[in-house]
Amino acid sequence: MAAAAAIHLMHAAVHAHVHLLPNSKAANIQHKFKSNIELLTGDGIIPFAVELVAKSSMDMQPGKICRVIMEITRAFGSQGMVDGLYHELKVLNDQYLSSAGSGCYENYMITDEYICKKKEGELHACGAACGAIMGGGTEDDIEKLRKFGLYVGMIRGLMMGKSYYEPGIQEKLEEFNGLAFKVLESFRGKKNIELISSLVEPCPSYN
Amino acid sequence: MAAAAAIHLMHAAVHAHVHLLPNSKAANIQHKFKSNIELLTGDGIIPFAVELVAKSSMDMQPGKICRVIMEITRAFGSQGMVDGLYHELKVLNDQYLSSAGSGCYENYMITDEYICKKKEGELHACGAACGAIMGGGTEDDIEKLRKFGLYVGMIRGLMMGKSYYEPGIQEKLEEFNGLAFKVLESFRGKKNIELISSLVEPCPSYN
């Protein structure tokens, strides 16, 4: 529970800070608070989220808790969420500076997928891995569920940011859906697997 | 080592973000990078610092590591550093909005001491407590060293922010110096105590 709450809190902190980034997609929202409040809100939430997980070591195995903290900090750190935000800003800045010709299309598709992986994919992968760690899964279970989380996150990320009718999106969604189902096959017959598989059930919006 | 490095990293992240606060003391510095880079630098450093400590659980007792993480996140969270920064901004804003009469002097002194406690005192207290936890100190040792760290931090904070000749400062410095020495007395005869006590050795600048 603490790990899930921490991931949501860290995600909320990211949203608070994203509003401060000039040229970001969220920069033009109507700001409820001044930038100093938005900055310190995010800065206050991040340590609180980590403290929440660390505190649960009093009831749980502290070794597992440390591992969960590592998973969460990696997902939100400079090689995870921060990397995704940086590349997103870079793309928006490039688009702003030059009207990209059709020749650049493929490059943008790759960058978009990378941003989606860092911002949504690895966030969901982290959540799935944390669940597996806390639930006492084997190393193999943890890695399989991390992959499953990654594909679910990629599907969600692509569906949020893009129209289904944009070129290449439909194929990508079907690819990730297939990969996610493939990972789940090895868990066939295990408890609660229907609950997890419902996250990637054939959905009318893209099937 | 990892805990000490993490505290320094978290402190560096605070400095990166403080430059973004409008009306803060640091807002008028010459910015080497744009605000998006400063924001994401801080956001990347914080998870890295926590990960560094969590990672050391592979060699150390994870229970101790979780406790150290709790100490660090509390010191930098909404009831620690963030609280200090908020009150500092509030004072600066109030001073900007109204020319405070001499009648307000005492209130400002209290607020300054509070800011100093949150920004410097509790940071040093956290460092001392983390050292005591990692070094295998008893609960009593941890609390005593936390107090010692608090007084050392208060002395450093007051000396950084104020002139020694400002009214009330000399008395405050002497008070904290005396309190710090008093805490150390109970450790008399223990190993390395000279090293720690040198932090509050009678200093020519205020004695």
Side-chain angles (χ1 to χ4, degrees), chain B:
Chain B
M1 275 300 287
I7 293 171
H8 277 295
L9 283 166
M10 297 283 275
H11 204 188
V14 169
H15 279 289
H17 280 185
V18 158
H19 295 165
L20 294 167
L21 289 168
N23 305 333
S24 80
K25 281 179 184 171
N28 297 326
I29 62 149
Q30 203 185 344
H31 289 262
K32 184 85 180 165
F33 301 102
K34 285 186 183 170
S35 61
N36 50 354
I37 299 293
E38 287 186 333
L39 180 70
L40 292 181
T41 300
D43 283 355
I45 291 175
I46 299 168
F48 172 60
V50 178
E51 189 190 336
L52 203 66
V53 188
K55 213 173 175 179
S56 66
S57 67
M58 291 169 183
D59 316 310
M60 306 280 290
Q61 293 170 30
K64 275 186 185 176
I65 299 293
C66 282
R67 202 166 160 192
V68 162
I69 292 172
M70 279 165 70
E71 291 285 346
I72 296 173
T73 48
R74 265 182 207 162
F76 284 92
S78 59
Q79 300 202 338
M81 183 66 80
V82 170
D83 192 24
L85 289 171
Y86 168 75
H87 278 91
E88 189 177 52
L89 275 179
K90 205 165 170 287
V91 167
L92 286 167
N93 204 39
D94 289 352
Q95 282 173 342
Y96 177 77
L97 289 174
S98 65
S99 55
S102 61
C104 295
Y105 178 75
E106 206 177 337
N107 274 341
Y108 273 114
M109 185 68 199
I110 293 164
T111 319
D112 272 354
E113 204 178 309
Y114 183 79
I115 293 166
C116 185
K117 184 181 171 222
K118 291 289 162 185
K119 281 186 68 188
E120 299 294 332
E122 293 187 5
L123 179 71
H124 284 73
C126 160
C130 288
I133 293 165
M134 298 306 285
T138 63
E139 287 305 315
D140 190 47
D141 290 343
I142 294 166
E143 289 317 309
K144 276 181 186 162
L145 283 169
R146 187 199 302 283
K147 266 192 187 171
F148 175 73
L150 180 74
Y151 300 137
V152 171
M154 294 292 282
I155 292 169
R156 301 219 151 189
L158 284 175
M159 284 178 80
M160 271 199 305
K162 298 273 171 194
S163 156
Y164 176 61
Y165 299 103
E166 269 187 49
I169 294 295
Q170 194 174 349
E171 291 75 17
K172 279 282 158 208
L173 289 172
E174 277 165 13
E175 183 193 334
F176 292 131
N177 203 42
L179 287 165
F181 261 114
K182 211 172 160 187
V183 174
L184 283 188
E185 268 179 21
S186 58
F187 289 107
R188 194 173 283 171
K190 288 205 177 171
K191 209 176 147 188
N192 291 337
I193 201 65
E194 299 80 18
L195 205 69
I196 300 172
S197 67
S198 70
L199 289 168
V200 282
E201 253 177 356
C203 168
S205 68
Y206 57 91
N207 262 294

Side-chain angles (χ1 to χ4, degrees), chain A residues 9-62:
Chain A
L9 283 166
M10 297 283 275
H11 204 188
V14 169
H15 279 289
H17 280 184
V18 158
H19 296 165
L20 294 167
L21 289 168
N23 304 334
S24 81
K25 281 180 184 170
N28 297 326
I29 62 150
Q30 203 185 344
H31 289 262
K32 184 85 180 165
F33 301 101
K34 285 186 183 169
S35 61
N36 50 353
I37 299 293
E38 287 186 333
L39 180 70
L40 292 182
T41 300
D43 283 354
I45 291 175
I46 300 168
F48 173 60
V50 178
E51 189 190 338
L52 203 66
V53 188
K55 214 173 174 179
S56 67
S57 67
M58 291 169 184
D59 316 311
M60 306 281 289
Q61 293 171 30

